């Protein structure tokens, strides 16, 4: 019984040595689209609030205004947009944020420096 226990431990130790000792370190990956001094840009999932039209967006603690606000003329999102939210992605690069969705909608926003809240709220 003790011999079987010792063999199991030896086999487990040998397997761990083989699995951990044979791999070479992973090579670091470099994003060739960025150069020193630039900030990498990436899109992140984003739920754009559309309930009263598309005017503003908040990404983390930064507030952005739409370059061209969108609504149906009655305080709602335009036809073809979700309500109260439209799912998509947003990409922030410097003072600009761009929203895209799978329906082909694109909205460009620009940062409101120093803003701490939305300009307008709706019910």
């Amino acid at each position: 019984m003790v011999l079987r226990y010792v063999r199991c431990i030896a086999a487990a130790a040998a397997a761990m040595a083989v699995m951990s000792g044979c791999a070479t370190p992973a090579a670091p990956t470099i994003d060739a689209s960025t150069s020193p001094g630039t900030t990498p840009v990436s899109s992140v999932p984003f739920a754009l609030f559309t309930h009263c039209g598309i005017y503003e967006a908040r990404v983390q603690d930064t507030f952005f205004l739409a370059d061209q606000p969108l609504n149906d003329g009655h305080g709602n999102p335009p036809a073809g947009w979700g309500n109260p939210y439209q799912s998509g992605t947003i990409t922030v690069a410097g003072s600009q944020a761009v929203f895209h969705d799978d329906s082909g909608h694109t909205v460009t926003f620009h940062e409101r420096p120093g803003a701490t809240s939305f300009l307008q709220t709706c019910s």
Side-chain angles (χ1 to χ4, degrees):
M1 180 81 159
V2 173
L3 184 59
R4 181 180 288 174
Y5 181 72
V6 171
R7 284 184 185 167
C8 287
I9 291 176
M16 286 181 16
V18 168
M19 289 190 300
S20 64
C22 296
T24 58
T29 58
I30 298 172
D31 183 354
S33 65
T34 61
S35 60
T38 63
T39 302
V41 176
S42 62
S43 295
V44 295
F46 191 76
L48 179 64
F49 185 69
T50 62
H51 183 62
C52 294
I54 298 142
Y55 297 97
E56 302 176 79
R58 179 180 178 187
V59 182
Q60 296 181 336
D61 291 327
T62 303
F63 291 85
F64 294 85
L65 279 177
D67 287 356
Q68 294 181 334
L70 303 170
N71 67 60
D72 69 353
H74 300 286
N76 298 302
W81 286 81
N83 188 354
Y85 293 95
Q86 181 73 32
S87 295
T89 61
I90 198 154
T91 304
V92 177
S95 64
Q96 181 176 310
V98 180
F99 173 84
H100 295 282
D101 66 17
D102 290 340
S103 298
H105 300 122
T106 299
V107 182
T108 301
F109 298 88
H110 277 87
E111 181 180 352
R112 289 180 40 229
T116 58
S117 64
F118 289 106
L119 287 174
Q120 58 182 346
T121 56
C122 71
S123 54

